[in-house]
Amino acid sequence: MTIAFIGLGIMGSPMAANLVKAGYDVVGYDVSAERVAELEARGGKGAAGVAEAVADADVVITMLPDSPQVEEVAPVVVAHGASGLIYLDMSTIRPDTSRWVAREAAAKGVRALDAPVSGGERGAVDGTLSIMVGGDPEDFAAARPVLGALGTTIVHVGPPGAGQTVKAANQLVVGGIYGLVAEAIVLLEASGVDPVAGLDVLAGGLAGSRILDIKRHTMIRREFAPGFRIDLHHKDMGIAVAAAREAGVALPLTAQVAQLVAAARAQGHGSLDHSALLKVVERFNG
Ligand code: NAD
């Protein structure tokens, strides 16, 4: 089976490599020639453009930064893909863009699914991503073996766009936890309590979370190398706020988290890890 993989960045590159390891023929394209060469070195084939990559593919995967890039690439996938093609967009984008892609694809007999992921670069490298999938259940069943080479928690969550809505929910929870862990560190330090001891206790109690488990020590040491960049989380909070408006619900804490992330970006921390929300909370406090 041949898989075309478009967008070989921090996430796409190791994901494509895992598909090669799983025995698929992978044809990759990225606007960066370096990224394509990296895939070739890992056993994949390079293509000169999207149309060439998808021409003989049974499955197409896109892993692009944001909605505008998907709006540019998806029509080429649909125009040049074979009828019956499975098209998995695994980028984090707006749910309404995913619904548009699904409609355009269906009109040409292409089976599109939105399948954004959680788990970060580590999850992409290890093939342990959480994958939330929106689209037709039969198409999901057909795509399931391919997704199994990329992740371990793979759930069909609803119709087209539902995967993106779940990802938006994921990002607002993650942003909220980072913001509150940052406030806990500021409180402990200002009160003269050792934050390492304090957060060790929190991690073992009801406040425990994956974020406390893997990030509390680097946050206390103020190590903010990405990981997941503030710039990308800013995009995702915009998606969450827009999805809430579209659904007609008020999410006051989400709005505040979005503002915290916006402040981190405005303060010049866009390329730091999202745990750098701690810098914003510190700045509130002198
Ligand atoms: P990235 O910027 O490293 O990779 C995106 C790649 O797409 C780049 O290599 C870029 O050259 C390529 N690209 C851009 N436009 C293109 C086009 N028109 N045609 C072909 N290639 C094009 O980003 P990433 O960190 O890999 O993230 C990709 C997506 O996954 C984003 O939507 C992000 O929000 C999401 N995501 C990222 C993480 C993470 O930890 N980095 C975790 C979960 C989800």
Side-chain angles (χ1 to χ4, degrees), residues 6-12 29-32 35 50 63-66 69 72-73 90-92 117-118 120-121 167 227-229 232 235-236:
I6 319 292
L8 301 163
I10 290 178
M11 298 294 284
Y29 173 69
D30 192 293
V31 286
S32 155
R35 292 297 198 172
V50 178
M63 193 54 168
L64 297 162
D66 198 354
Q69 291 81 28
E72 181 189 324
V73 170
M90 304 190 74
S91 328
T92 302
V117 306
S118 175
E121 186 182 5
K167 175 67 182 180
F228 188 71
R229 286 180 292 116
L232 284 177
K235 168 200 56 141
D236 294 351

Side-chain angles (χ1 to χ4, degrees), residues 258-278:
Q259 294 303 307
L260 268 186
V261 176
R265 199 160 176 258
Q267 289 172 18
H269 308 315
S271 59
L272 297 184
D273 187 68
H274 47 176
S275 54
L277 283 187
L278 176 56

Side-chain angles (χ1 to χ4, degrees), residues 159-207:
Q164 298 296 351
T165 305
V166 173
K167 175 67 182 180
N170 183 78
Q171 294 304 81
L172 69 87
V173 171
V174 168
I177 293 173
Y178 271 118
L180 288 172
V181 171
E183 292 190 5
I185 291 172
V186 166
L187 171 66
L188 292 169
E189 290 179 346
S191 310
V193 177
D194 175 12
V196 174
L199 291 193
D200 280 353
V201 179
L202 263 66
L206 187 58

